[in-house]
Amino acid sequence: TEAAASAAEKAKMSAVVEVPTIEGSDPETDPLDAFKNVLAAQLSKLVDVDIKILYDALEAPRASENGHIALSVPRLRLKGNPSAAAADIVEKFQLNDYVLLAKADGPFVNFFLNHIKLAQSLFKKIYDTKERWGCNNHGQNKKIIVEFSSPNIAKPFHAGHLRSTIIGSFVRNILDANGFNTMSMNYLGDWGKQYGLLAVGFERYGSEEKLLEDPIKHLFDVYVKINQDAKENDDVHDEARAYFKKMEGGDKAALSIWSRFRDLSIVKYKDIYARLNIAFDVYSGESQVTDGMERALKMLHEKNLLTESDGALIIDLTKYKLGICVVQKKDGTTLYITRDIGAALERYEKYGFEHMYYIVASQQDLHLKQLFKILELLGFDWAKKVTHLNFGMVGGMSTRKGTVVFLEDILEETRDAMHEVMKKNEHKYAQIEDPLQVADNIGISAIMIQDASARRVKNYDFDWKRMFSFEGDTGPYLQYAHARLCSIERKTEMEVNPNADLRHLGDSKAAGDLITMIARYPQIVRETTRSFEPVNIVGYAMKLSHNVSQALESMYVMGAEKELAEARLFMYWSARMTLGNAMRLLNLKPQERM
Ligand code: ARG
């Protein structure tokens, strides 16, 4: 604190530094950014470089030994040797109330911040904003559609759907946190000849009772049986085609059976998604596309993009190395791609989105490229407002019963396995009110964090053992870190005091590291809109948790004298809020006890 006090003196003597707002920066919602703005302003007086360029060259140092903010001199594109320039900047730099130390390190200048001053504005901001801490208004409430999950009725909910669900919901949360007005949409696979087949199957094997009891499982069973029949007897296929033709023709009876299957399935899906902490604003689906298809086909025809081939209608995209797209079959029925064209058109007309994201496995890269190309060829100016966010495959996702067919089975097995792990710690287990519920939440965290621990495009193998571990970068580890912070608050039985005197935090490295790590959160939230990589947030949450355990080694709350305890409690409370917010972005329910 002595160092801080003397630096404060110095700062008073030097000219008062105004806090400017640099484009792309956000000192309003981000206290660390305010420090960066001051630093950039000060540096702009020392080197002849635009303030915005200086600001952009301020980075998080690679290691915490290198201070809290590093200036990457090569990024300034100065003439001459960057290392010499770095030394020169340090030489001329005036220490002040914000920056206590500047050190040259090769082509970098490492700045050590007055972390007490930072903590003062930072913790106050967190206290004032709580669950909104880290959010900003950059999105200006612009409308964004995020389409994800999108399973197929009567078919298995496979790993690809699970990933789409996890990543999609994350993308939505990130956009919300950045001030966009998002709409989550589930585009069910619920149309096509195979659903004619399902209807035929229901006439043979369907049971009203079972349908009401568990529509998803029952329709799947019926579907498996009728597919077997169809394999043995080609007539079944003809029946199915005829039925689907009736559906497409708007036959009331055919459609009413179909919409019951769909409605009952949705009720059940909603329950399962709720368990994952996910809700959809809109349940759309292939069956919901109406005249958009016809209108699109007409436009394609007028633009000379349709060719007849064997009675079917195709679009030749070979020029673009995207193959040939069949958009209408010989019998006049539509296909997956046709419905996607119509759906996109109808969505734009209905919602006028600023952007739309499709969260779909990379197996469908070609399909979405074709779709986007067709929208472009149709001349829609909004064709550039659609993006495919893809992801790799998950291997080895099977339960004791075998390969996974239903999402519920995976969740069941996860919960039970987690429950077994929890039981091993008898003492803690006894204190948990609803252990099965907690096991469910932590188990789901394990799945989600495993999924979010590498870049989206990477394939990975489901690893039951590793994902449940409390060590290493796992979901249970994050939950444990959060619960531990909650237990500090419980045990001290003190209220968080927003007026705590933070000078008591002192100048320990552990405190400085933890404070700056907390302070980095808003920037991570902003940056993640560029990559939509959940691993950015996971990586951050892990680092934050490590900094918390480091601080806890030397900075106790229990047993410390009152003012010191208050300052530390406010710091841990702020860390807990930040960790909780990061976990919520990842769709986790932060646990208070486990
Ligand atoms: N239902 C599809 C499937 O399971 C995924 C839908 C993806 N979204 C889209 N607009 N095509 O493969």
Side-chain angles (χ1 to χ4, degrees):
T1 48
E2 224 170 75
S6 78
E9 276 310 303
K10 257 197 215 160
K12 263 184 227 146
M13 289 189 293
S14 69
V16 183
V17 218
E18 291 274 315
V19 182
T21 302
I22 297 160
E23 195 212 309
S25 80
D26 200 357
E28 253 320 292
T29 59
D30 181 347
L32 182 60
D33 209 39
F35 273 61
K36 277 170 92 178
N37 279 304
V38 172
L39 196 48
Q42 208 185 341
L43 288 166
S44 72
K45 295 192 180 118
L46 304 182
V47 281
D48 187 21
V49 173
D50 184 69
I51 187 162
K52 166 88 173 119
I53 293 172
L54 279 160
Y55 171 84
D56 287 337
L58 294 173
E59 307 172 340
R62 241 143 267 176
S64 65
E65 285 69 38
N66 301 339
H68 308 121
I69 295 181
L71 173 71
S72 164
V73 178
R75 290 184 63 177
L76 304 182
R77 299 176 179 284
L78 299 170
K79 275 189 213 111
N81 180 329
S83 297
D88 188 49
I89 290 171
V90 169
E91 171 89 31
K92 292 188 191 138
F93 190 84
Q94 278 243 11
L95 299 177
N96 56 60
D97 199 17
Y98 292 84
V99 182
L100 303 183
L101 179 67
K103 268 205 268 208
D105 179 10
F108 290 94
V109 182
N110 296 329
F111 296 100
F112 293 73
L113 302 182
N114 178 352
H115 65 250
I116 303 290
K117 186 179 171 70
L118 176 59
Q120 282 160 347
S121 53
L122 177 66
F123 299 173
K124 172 129 188 10
K125 179 57 94 192
I126 300 175
Y127 192 81
D128 289 343
T129 51
K130 307 223 164 49
E131 254 99 33
R132 299 278 309 152
W133 152 240
C135 299
N136 63 69
N137 298 322
H138 288 185
Q140 298 172 330
N141 220 29
K142 286 182 190 149
K143 182 109 201 167
I144 310 265
I145 297 182
V146 187
E147 186 221 277
F148 62 99
S149 198
S150 307
N152 305 320
I153 287 181
K155 292 206 209 160
F157 189 104
H158 55 64
H161 296 123
L162 181 61
R163 286 211 84 184
S164 171
T165 310
I166 295 174
I167 295 168
S169 153
F170 171 76
V171 168
R172 181 215 190 150
N173 295 341
I174 278 290
L175 288 165
D176 278 341
N178 282 282
F180 290 93
N181 172 15
T182 61
M183 187 171 120
S184 57
M185 179 183 276
N186 198 327
Y187 182 68
L188 295 172
D190 57 1
W191 202 245
K193 192 204 121 198
Q194 66 268 39
Y195 295 107
L197 190 60
L198 181 67
V200 171
F202 200 77
E203 281 168 8
R204 288 192 194 180
Y205 304 111
S207 140
E208 251 326 284
E209 204 187 311
K210 285 188 186 156
L211 180 68
L212 291 175
E213 202 183 281
D214 192 338
I216 294 180
K217 283 207 169 94
H218 183 55
L219 291 175
F220 177 72
D221 288 341
V222 169
Y223 189 68
V224 170
K225 282 190 189 143
I226 194 70
N227 260 295
Q228 198 52 44
D229 291 359
K231 253 188 221 153
E232 286 154 19
N233 179 357
D234 245 359
D235 295 349
V236 179
H237 278 300
D238 294 335
E239 264 182 82
R241 245 188 300 274
Y243 202 103
F244 180 54
K245 187 113 211 240
K246 275 204 283 183
M247 286 164 67
E248 285 229 300
D251 180 284
K252 285 230 168 66
L255 285 178
S256 80
I257 296 173
W258 173 238
S259 62
R260 270 195 81 222
F261 292 168
R262 177 184 144 87
D263 293 347
L264 291 169
S265 298
I266 290 176
V267 172
K268 179 77 191 182
Y269 275 129
K270 280 186 180 163
D271 280 350
I272 307 174
Y273 287 126
R275 203 165 153 187
L276 293 171
N277 210 9
I278 288 169
F280 288 93
D281 298 316
V282 178
Y283 277 85
S284 108
E286 293 177 44
S287 71
Q288 305 302 296
V289 184
T290 57
D291 63 348
M293 283 190 285
E294 237 170 83
R295 283 188 285 132
L297 286 179
K298 193 164 165 260
M299 287 173 74
L300 285 164
H301 180 72
E302 282 162 9
K303 291 186 186 286
N304 270 328
L305 292 162
L306 284 185
T307 328
E308 228 194 274
S309 163
D310 251 347
L313 292 178
I314 62 165
I315 304 175
D316 186 352
L317 298 174
T318 44
K319 265 214 277 228
Y320 312 102
K321 297 204 168 71
L322 294 173
I324 281 169
C325 256
V326 184
V327 287
Q328 188 178 308
K329 286 197 206 164
K330 258 205 297 248
D331 65 2
T333 54
T334 60
L335 293 101
Y336 182 46
I337 184 88
T338 329
R339 294 188 281 278
D340 254 327
I341 300 167
L345 174 77
E346 289 175 15
R347 286 179 203 173
Y348 189 74
E349 287 170 349
K350 187 160 178 191
Y351 306 109
F353 53 77
E354 181 66 29
H355 210 94
M356 173 156 68
Y357 293 96
Y358 292 82
I359 321 295
V360 186
S362 35
Q363 277 115 317
Q364 297 194 28
D365 281 356
L366 177 63
H367 170 78
L368 286 146
K369 278 189 188 141
Q370 291 174 332
L371 171 63
F372 296 170
K373 179 52 84 183
I374 293 169
L375 297 176
E376 185 193 314
L377 293 173
L378 278 166
F380 296 130
D381 54 358
W382 50 268
K384 47 188 184 312
K385 296 184 173 180
V386 290
T387 302
H388 176 202
L389 294 176
N390 62 359
F391 51 83
M393 289 202 295
V394 192
M397 192 170 96
S398 56
T399 65
R400 277 175 290 216
K401 288 182 217 146
T403 319
V404 178
V405 174
F406 305 112
L407 176 57
E408 259 187 319
D409 293 338
I410 266 277
L411 299 185
E412 235 53 1
E413 182 134 335
T414 307
R415 184 193 62 198
D416 295 345
M418 198 66 231
H419 193 208
E420 290 309 312
V421 175
M422 282 163 60
K423 274 192 205 157
K424 288 189 186 131
N425 192 333
E426 275 174 50
H427 173 69
K428 275 198 181 155
Y429 185 79
Q431 293 178 331
I432 299 171
E433 229 170 84
D434 187 349
L436 266 185
Q437 184 61 53
V438 173
D440 199 40
N441 288 339
I442 302 176
I444 288 170
S445 310
I447 294 182
M448 296 216 174
I449 295 302
Q450 164 172 265
D451 197 274
S453 290
R455 292 187 49 234
R456 285 186 278 107
V457 292
K458 288 247 173 109
N459 303 334
Y460 72 86
D461 284 324
F462 223 70
D463 184 341
W464 290 95
K465 227 178 133 151
R466 201 191 55 212
M467 79 183 185
F468 287 138
S469 166
F470 283 82
E471 279 142 45
D473 293 349
T474 66
Y477 172 76
L478 281 186
Q479 290 288 9
Y480 169 74
H482 186 269
R484 189 175 177 203
L485 286 165
C486 290
S487 95
I488 295 173
E489 291 169 41
R490 260 196 316 272
K491 284 188 189 139
T492 52
E493 292 178 345
M494 280 161 50
E495 282 284 313
V496 179
N497 176 6
N499 299 314
D501 184 349
L502 298 178
R503 284 174 305 182
H504 291 286
L505 291 176
D507 49 17
S508 85
K509 179 170 179 306
D513 287 351
L514 177 55
I515 292 162
T516 26
M517 189 55 77
I518 295 172
R520 288 207 177 108
Y521 181 60
Q523 186 181 355
I524 303 278
V525 172
R526 290 198 299 274
E527 281 171 356
T528 305
T529 54
R530 273 189 253 140
S531 63
F532 291 110
E533 290 286 358
V535 69
N536 283 2
I537 303 291
V538 174
Y540 172 78
M542 295 296 168
K543 279 191 239 155
L544 177 62
S545 302
H546 294 313
N547 283 145
V548 167
S549 19
Q550 231 128 51
L552 282 170
E553 274 171 28
S554 58
M555 305 175 80
Y556 313 111
V557 181
M558 288 283 274
E561 93 21 54
K562 182 164 176 288
E563 290 210 339
L564 180 60
E566 276 190 338
R568 289 178 176 176
L569 183 68
F570 198 16
M571 176 171 74
Y572 291 125
W573 178 89
S574 300
R576 197 257 296 172
M577 258 346 276
T578 309
L579 182 58
N581 285 357
M583 289 167 78
R584 278 181 278 272
L585 276 181
L586 292 161
N587 227 48
L588 269 44
K589 295 182 191 158
Q591 298 296 297
E592 297 188 358
R593 262 181 219 272
M594 59 185 271

